[in-house]
Amino acid sequence: KQEVTQIPAALSVPEGENLVLNCSFTDSAIYNLQWFRQDPGKGLTSLLLIQSSQREQTSGRLNASLDKSSGRSTLYIAASQPGDSATYLCAVYTGGGNKLTFGTGTQLKVEL
Amino acid sequence: DTEVTQTPKHLVMGMTNKKSLKCEQHMGHRAMYWYKQKAKKPPELMFVYSYEKLSINESVPSRFSPECPNSSLLNLHLHALQPEDSALYLCASSQVNMGLTDTQYFGPGTRLTVL
């Protein structure tokens, strides 16, 4: 059974700091990996999708990398802002391609 | 338009009630999903529909009954729920390309409370 873990569980940083969120998964036979953000009580917003054949994806201040063989992905956020405060979830596609398993999440707070 | 809509936003029901959650997308996606999310936990997959056919049921109790009447609509019928079923229910949709999935787009969720 695929298990996805995110470290740290919570993170508080001052505005402007660059930061890295970590995601690890136990079964490397994934189709792709997706990073989401979730604001309290809200749905999920997709940030980046990395295909299993890719090493990284970039969108604005966000950069996600994937090392499939070691079962790891990182989300790099540059020049963090208070609006980045949210819970960040990674999720991997396994089991025929349309089964998404979520990580435990990292709750990020960016302070002024 | 990358929007997935869900109604209602909030639902309170008794254990003997029958209610339904509705999800709609107009992106032409042929895969639709139901997830359940408890407080401070990640979403857990419940059901997957692919081309309007149920392709995955994650051993969900029969008091939850999904329905996909057409490619744009997904319903979740609820009957005889338990208080522990109280959660945020999220709907999502995606393209299905060559048997693999594309980005999943999520709706805002329905906050369900079972009394």
Side-chain angles (χ1 to χ4, degrees):
Chain A
K1 180 184 175 185
Q2 177 74 272
E3 293 185 3
V4 185
T5 305
Q6 292 184 242
I7 295 173
L11 181 63
S12 183
V13 300
E15 182 180 13
E17 191 162 300
N18 302 325
L19 56 101
V20 175
L21 308 181
N22 297 291
C23 171
S24 61
F25 44 95
T26 55
D27 184 353
S28 62
I30 65 170
Y31 287 88
N32 42 39
L33 183 146
Q34 193 166 358
W35 281 93
F36 296 88
R37 70 173 278 170
Q38 185 174 31
D39 294 289
K42 305 291 186 182
L44 279 67
T45 300
S46 177
L47 298 174
L48 291 163
L49 176 80
I50 310 177
Q51 303 288 347
S52 61
S53 59
Q54 297 176 318
R55 297 284 294 186
E56 65 179 277
Q57 280 283 350
T58 298
S59 176
R61 294 183 293 109
L62 305 178
N63 176 275
S65 67
L66 174 63
D67 185 343
K68 187 179 168 185
S69 61
S70 67
R72 293 180 183 178
S73 176
T74 61
L75 179 66
Y76 174 83
I77 301 176
S80 59
Q81 303 170 358
D84 295 330
S85 298
T87 295
Y88 289 80
L89 294 156
C90 70
V92 296
Y93 290 91
T94 54
N98 57 2
K99 180 179 168 67
L100 193 58
T101 302
F102 281 87
T104 47
T106 293
Q107 188 172 4
L108 173 66
K109 183 176 182 181
V110 180
E111 299 175 315
L112 290 169
Chain B
D1 180 10
T2 57
E3 187 178 25
V4 176
T5 60
Q6 289 187 245
T7 55
K9 290 184 179 180
H10 302 276
L11 178 62
V12 179
M13 60 186 291
M15 290 188 285
T16 59
N17 291 159
K18 286 184 180 181
K19 297 287 185 182
S20 296
L21 310 184
K22 180 180 175 181
C23 173
E24 192 166 3
Q25 57 88 15
H26 295 287
M27 295 178 277
H29 291 168
R30 301 307 297 274
M32 295 186 76
Y33 313 78
W34 281 115
Y35 291 86
K36 174 182 177 180
Q37 186 177 27
K38 302 284 279 185
K40 298 196 180 297
K41 297 288 187 183
E44 295 179 344
L45 183 66
M46 300 175 72
F47 303 103
V48 180
Y49 273 83
S50 182
Y51 295 99
E52 295 91 69
K53 287 184 169 43
L54 184 64
S55 60
I56 294 178
N57 176 342
E58 290 289 286
S59 302
V60 178
S62 60
R63 58 185 183 269
F64 295 91
S65 176
E67 178 196 20
C68 190
N70 60 56
S71 60
S72 300
L73 284 174
L74 184 66
N75 299 319
L76 185 63
H77 303 298
L78 314 172
H79 174 55
L81 294 192
Q82 304 296 312
E84 58 265 29
D85 296 321
S86 299
L88 181 68
Y89 287 83
L90 295 164
C91 173
S93 70
S94 73
Q95 295 282 10
V96 182
N97 296 311
M98 301 290 288
L100 304 178
T101 54
D102 207 333
T103 301
Q104 286 194 19
Y105 294 90
F106 281 77
T110 293
R111 175 72 61 187
L112 174 67
T113 302
V114 182
L115 301 176

